[in-house]
Amino acid sequence: MTGLLRRVVRRYQLHCAREDARVRGIVVPLGVWVCGCDHVSLDRLAFTRHLTEVHA
């Protein structure tokens, strides 16, 4: 159950991030992860690591 919950939370967060980018008029290609602090990553794991290290 924990894995399912984690996937649901991740999907919700991705949806919110994409919606936030759309509202702000930011166009980011699929496969590119962009943080509000202008950090850009091509790997989701590296992006997640950035979020936990810098913004946690």
Side-chain angles (χ1 to χ4, degrees):
M1 183 70 173
T2 305
L4 176 62
L5 181 59
R6 213 175 296 145
R7 286 194 306 266
V8 169
V9 169
R10 186 181 316 136
R11 185 165 295 196
Y12 178 75
Q13 289 171 341
L14 291 177
H15 174 73
C16 289
R18 292 189 195 282
E19 184 64 22
D20 185 47
R22 187 189 66 74
V23 168
R24 294 173 188 253
I26 300 170
V27 177
V28 179
L30 290 175
V32 177
W33 303 86
V34 179
C35 183
C37 71
D38 298 330
H39 174 82
V40 177
S41 179
L42 297 176
D43 180 41
R44 183 177 57 159
L45 182 60
F47 181 70
T48 304
R49 202 174 309 126
H50 163 76
L51 291 178
T52 56
E53 292 174 358
V54 177
H55 300 293

